[in-house]
Amino acid sequence: MRGLKVLPSGRPGRGRLYVNLPDGQAVAWYDRQANRISVLADDHREAILAALRPYLSGTVSIGPPPVPTASDLRRLALAPDADLAPNRPGETLLGELEHGSAGTRARHRLRQDLTAQQRMGDAFDALEPDGWRILHCVPLPGLGHIDHLLIGPPGIFCVRTVPGRRQRAVVGDLLLTVGRTEPRPEPRWIRRAAALAATALAARVTPALAVVDASRVETAPSVRDIRVLQPPTATPTLAAAPPTLKPPEIDSLFAKARTTTTWLPTSSRPTT
């Protein structure tokens, strides 16, 4: 059948690919992570396979949609503007650069921050085939945004990304200094963000600082509660950490974390 359209969902290269009829009705979807095609209209099977063939890789399983889990049902009930999963790394910075009125120097810093977040975001997203779930730009009312929230077998990590600008970076108990710039309270900020995330998710959350493109990174011996990451070693280090969460727990926490209302103060959450 001609006229089938393949439409992406979620972040580019990460979410499902939906196959729709010309009137918009979905007849199948391809889950790239599971490498599985779920067919809703079996009489269109051959046309569906033909439409998806350019996107397929490896051995692909084909069949009816799997029975939805409780996490799936919560996700399907989400309104598009209540779902954080499609957020790209540096989502808010992209908006500031496009629509903001900051001066040249401020825009240069925004671009450095954006580049650092995109680089770390791409590295973290590469963990998804190994059972991790990644969110970017998670809002914390009154505090800003968590750059990256990682939920995987070793637990939950709340990550603040800092551009190293090819200079020496020093992580202390309270402040982080890059080169000769004014020290920034990033260690204190990420501890507070992780504590708020732990309350919102009712789970242990580890604070982490990702320092990108520093000439070297020095961490004070007394800094033991914050995980300090760098692009070349971040994902291998996280992947090698001992597991503490099982796949159903990861999926349940991700379903909760991706919902915007999870991050609202208790008094502001809608009643059911």
Side-chain angles (χ1 to χ4, degrees):
M1 177 180 178
R2 295 182 178 179
L4 292 183
K5 297 181 180 179
V6 178
L7 301 173
S9 172
R11 295 196 300 277
R14 301 288 174 185
R16 291 177 174 177
L17 291 176
Y18 283 89
V19 183
N20 292 359
L21 295 172
D23 63 3
Q25 178 185 353
V27 291
W29 71 77
Y30 171 43
D31 188 328
R32 285 178 279 199
Q33 185 172 323
N35 216 15
R36 187 183 196 283
I37 300 173
S38 295
V39 179
L40 301 172
D42 203 58
D43 51 331
H44 295 318
R45 178 182 288 248
E46 293 303 319
I48 290 167
L49 291 176
L52 285 173
R53 192 163 289 119
Y55 307 96
L56 304 180
S57 61
T59 303
V60 179
S61 60
I62 305 170
V67 176
T69 63
S71 296
D72 291 331
L73 293 174
R74 286 196 296 269
R75 174 183 57 78
L76 291 170
L78 277 181
D81 60 352
D83 189 1
L84 298 172
N87 282 2
R88 298 162 293 177
E91 188 82 29
T92 57
L93 298 180
L94 288 165
E96 289 184 50
L97 283 169
E98 185 174 352
H99 304 293
S101 57
T104 302
R105 180 173 295 181
R107 292 179 69 83
H108 176 66
R109 289 174 179 168
L110 284 175
R111 290 191 187 96
Q112 288 182 322
D113 288 341
L114 175 60
T115 299
Q117 290 188 34
Q118 289 174 331
R119 183 172 175 188
M120 289 309 307
D122 289 343
F124 294 143
D125 284 345
L127 289 166
E128 288 187 336
D130 296 323
W132 290 72
R133 300 292 179 264
I134 314 298
L135 290 171
H136 305 291
C137 206
V138 176
L140 284 178
L143 197 61
H145 290 79
I146 299 171
D147 295 336
H148 319 281
L149 189 75
L150 321 180
I151 306 173
I156 308 172
F157 298 84
C158 177
V159 185
R160 178 81 152 182
T161 300
V162 180
R165 303 186 179 92
R166 303 184 186 279
Q167 300 179 68
R168 170 174 168 261
V170 180
V171 181
D173 278 315
L174 302 178
L175 300 172
L176 181 147
T177 305
V178 176
R180 297 182 179 179
T181 60
E182 190 74 18
R184 296 165 57 175
E186 308 296 6
R188 285 182 292 177
W189 189 96
I190 197 60
R191 286 191 185 100
R192 185 179 175 194
L196 291 174
T199 299
L201 299 175
R204 183 176 183 272
V205 178
T206 300
L209 290 172
V211 185
V212 180
D213 286 337
S215 59
R216 70 179 186 272
V217 178
E218 299 175 5
T219 304
S222 54
V223 179
R224 299 176 181 176
D225 58 327
I226 298 175
R227 185 71 66 93
V228 178
L229 305 171
Q230 296 183 70
T233 57
T235 51
T237 298
L238 292 171
T244 61
L245 295 177
K246 297 178 181 179
E249 294 173 315
I250 294 171
D251 288 340
S252 178
L253 286 165
F254 179 64
K256 188 174 184 179
R258 70 188 294 175
T259 308
T260 54
T261 53
T262 296
W263 305 99
L264 295 175
T266 304
S267 59
S268 303
R269 295 177 190 175
T271 56
T272 56

